[in-house]
Amino acid sequence: MAEITASMVKELREKTDAPMMECKKALAEAGGDMAKAEEILRVKLGNRATKAATRIAAEGVIGMFLSGDGKVGALVELNSETDFVAKNEEFIALAKACAELVVTKNPADVAALSALPYGEGTVESARTALVGKIGENMTIRRFVRLEAKGRLFAYVHGGAKIATLVDLSGGDEQLGKDLAMHIAAAKPKALDPSGVPQELIESERRIAIEKAREAGKPENMLEKIAEGTVGKFLKEVTLLGQVFVKAEDGKQTVGDLLKAKGATVNAFALFIVGEGIEKKQTDFAAEVAAQAAAAAKK
């Protein structure tokens, strides 16, 4: 049996906000498998165990740029250690410049973007110089470049902490702006069910079956219950299945809206600063105590 360490329990607790003992039990049941333990907690505790899935820890901004004809656009995530630096004008300017370079030069990856000429040197030399000037590390984490079949619309929210691009054919200017805003608010994972990772769907299915089983539902009903749960999940995480944020009746989906407008969403992109990154948590009191103890030993 895998050893369940205090650090493993702490990591699972930070991911789920579940009680410490529940985390330890789940890890023991899962044989130390973190992902499986998280599933076990979701079965027992419901959505409380997914709180950390949307926790954004890293700081920074999303640089955004659209070509003049609205046919090509890019989002670039530039991370910093603190929100204070993320508000620095030079830092923001670098993020926007990177997005423009992605549109105009079409680099293959972050390394290629970093090597592109910029100012009196390269993007990398500009980043390094800014690190030296500000005294805080910063990194280009990722970018996305979209070439539209129709026309691109963009939305930036919360001091450039969230940014979206949407490729729309048909419709009008207002529809494009509304859809870009909807994506920022509803945060879909895919355009339609075909774009949702199969492992994510299977995870939802397993959780639904176990929850139904624990609730005492008949075995011959479990698959049907799971199908219903997965169907609901897919509507919630796919753009076309989501209820439009500005729907007056609270029921009209994005898919219904597009049909009514004779429009089609070809693709979209959504970046959230620090998504998937856990910021290192510092216990200041413990750090001071450790430093004092080390000094005493000397």
Side-chain angles (χ1 to χ4, degrees):
M1 181 178 174
E3 180 186 0
I4 308 304
T5 65
S7 62
M8 291 169 67
V9 175
K10 181 176 181 291
E11 181 182 348
L12 185 58
R13 175 168 168 72
E14 287 175 350
K15 282 185 173 183
T16 65
D17 277 350
M20 196 73 75
M21 287 308 297
E22 291 294 335
C23 291
K24 188 173 182 180
K25 289 177 184 177
L27 281 164
E29 186 177 337
D33 185 316
M34 191 66 65
K36 187 174 180 181
E38 192 170 346
E39 279 193 14
I40 291 169
L41 286 175
R42 283 196 56 199
V43 170
K44 293 181 178 179
L45 305 176
N47 289 333
R48 278 192 297 155
T50 63
K51 182 177 179 181
T54 56
R55 184 181 299 146
I56 299 170
E59 302 298 343
V61 294
I62 307 298
M64 186 272 292
F65 186 81
L66 286 178
S67 61
D69 59 4
K71 286 292 185 178
V72 186
L75 303 177
V76 175
E77 181 178 355
L78 183 62
N79 290 133
S80 60
E81 293 180 49
T82 64
D83 188 51
F84 178 76
V85 169
K87 295 174 182 176
N88 178 281
E89 289 184 5
E90 290 180 85
F91 181 83
I92 294 169
L94 179 60
K96 290 180 178 177
C98 286
E100 183 174 356
L101 285 169
V102 170
V103 168
T104 57
K105 302 300 183 181
N106 193 20
D109 51 29
V110 170
L113 169 60
S114 298
L116 288 174
Y118 175 66
E120 297 180 358
T122 64
V123 170
E124 176 58 19
S125 65
R127 183 196 69 83
T128 303
L130 196 54
V131 169
K133 181 178 180 180
I134 295 176
E136 182 173 310
N137 190 31
M138 56 193 69
T139 59
I140 301 171
R141 183 187 178 202
R142 56 178 175 160
F143 68 79
V144 64
R145 184 179 190 271
L146 284 186
E147 294 188 16
K149 293 180 180 178
R151 179 184 169 191
L152 288 175
F153 293 88
Y155 180 76
V156 179
H157 179 75
K161 299 296 185 185
I162 301 175
T164 67
L165 292 173
V166 58
D167 175 6
L168 180 70
S169 294
D172 53 26
E173 184 98 8
Q174 189 59 52
L175 177 61
K177 291 179 178 178
D178 284 347
L179 288 171
M181 181 189 68
H182 170 96
I183 293 165
K187 301 175 180 60
K189 296 182 182 296
L191 179 62
D192 56 38
S194 68
V196 180
Q198 192 60 38
E199 59 267 25
L200 195 57
I201 295 174
E202 290 306 315
S203 174
E204 290 298 318
R205 187 186 307 278
R206 287 194 301 270
I207 290 166
I209 288 174
E210 289 306 314
K211 289 178 76 171
R213 185 174 283 134
E214 289 197 359
K217 302 296 183 183
E219 284 292 323
N220 62 349
M221 292 292 292
L222 297 184
E223 284 295 336
K224 186 175 182 180
I225 292 171
E227 283 299 319
T229 301
V230 168
K232 182 181 178 183
F233 167 75
L234 289 174
K235 288 181 180 179
E236 292 172 349
V237 301
T238 56
L239 177 60
L240 300 184
Q242 290 177 335
V243 174
F244 180 48
V245 291
K246 293 176 70 174
E248 294 182 0
D249 62 359
K251 296 179 180 180
Q252 184 184 40
T253 66
V254 171
D256 293 335
L257 173 67
L258 289 168
K259 187 175 181 180
K261 297 284 187 178
T264 302
V265 169
N266 303 302
F268 74 88
L270 165 67
F271 271 13
I272 303 172
V273 167
E275 185 177 30
I277 300 175
E278 287 292 336
K279 184 191 294 182
K280 183 180 179 181
Q281 300 296 318
T282 302
D283 185 333
F284 183 70
E287 185 177 328
V288 171
Q291 289 176 355
K297 286 182 180 179
K298 293 179 181 179

